[in-house]
Amino acid sequence: NGPTKHKAHINTYPKNYPKHVVGMMYDTMASFQTWFAPQDVVSYGIQLIPLTSVAERRDDPEWASILYPIYAKSCKKANEGSSGFCEDNGWSILQAGLLAETGEIEEALELASDVPHDVYLTDGGCGNSLSNTLWFISTRRQSPSISER
């Protein structure tokens, strides 16, 4: 009997908790919110900080693929409902990083390049510089080509 294969699990919470992340965890409760902003994109995005090499251990590509469309939708909603909230506050930087974790490197580089340069220089940049973001994206694993799928 060799070592057992371990597949990372995607969701550690009970099935009746419908979200893919927890914003705040209490002793007896998990909630989808943060202390500092009501937008869904913040509860998702806070899980993705920082964009460093450790993210490979933290973010399973399957989980990233499940979360990306939800994150993109919440970022769009925050931009429309709160006058550019996602873009102006740097959450779109994390969207590009999450897209890269799905293996869509070229699309992620394009998305990161579309973020206004001044956003990277603000607190909203979530500590990510443009060079760090481009490094992070370019070092993620690329998705298999269509012929390999």
Side-chain angles (χ1 to χ4, degrees), residues 74-93:
S74 68
C75 191
K76 181 178 180 182
K77 182 179 176 184
N79 277 336
E80 292 169 353
S82 300
S83 303
F85 178 86
C86 187
E87 185 76 31
D88 293 344
N89 290 284
W91 300 104
S92 56
I93 297 169

Side-chain angles (χ1 to χ4, degrees), residues 106-132:
E106 294 302 319
E107 293 84 350
L109 287 169
E110 188 175 316
L111 188 59
S113 297
D114 289 343
V115 174
H117 290 281
D118 61 330
V119 171
Y120 287 99
L121 304 175
T122 67
D123 291 341
C126 302
N128 296 294
S129 65
L130 176 58
S131 60
N132 175 70

Side-chain angles (χ1 to χ4, degrees), residues 9-61:
H9 54 270
I10 302 302
N11 191 346
T12 59
Y13 303 105
K15 290 192 184 305
N16 60 351
Y17 183 80
K19 304 292 186 176
H20 294 283
V21 302
V22 168
M24 294 189 299
M25 177 68 83
Y26 300 88
D27 288 343
T28 59
M29 181 179 75
S31 67
F32 185 74
Q33 63 186 30
T34 66
W35 289 109
F36 48 89
Q39 292 83 356
D40 287 0
V41 71
V42 177
S43 290
Y44 292 125
I46 199 73
Q47 311 303 318
L48 304 170
I49 298 171
L51 294 180
T52 66
S53 58
V54 77
E56 288 180 6
R57 306 281 296 169
R58 180 191 66 203
D59 304 340
D60 179 80

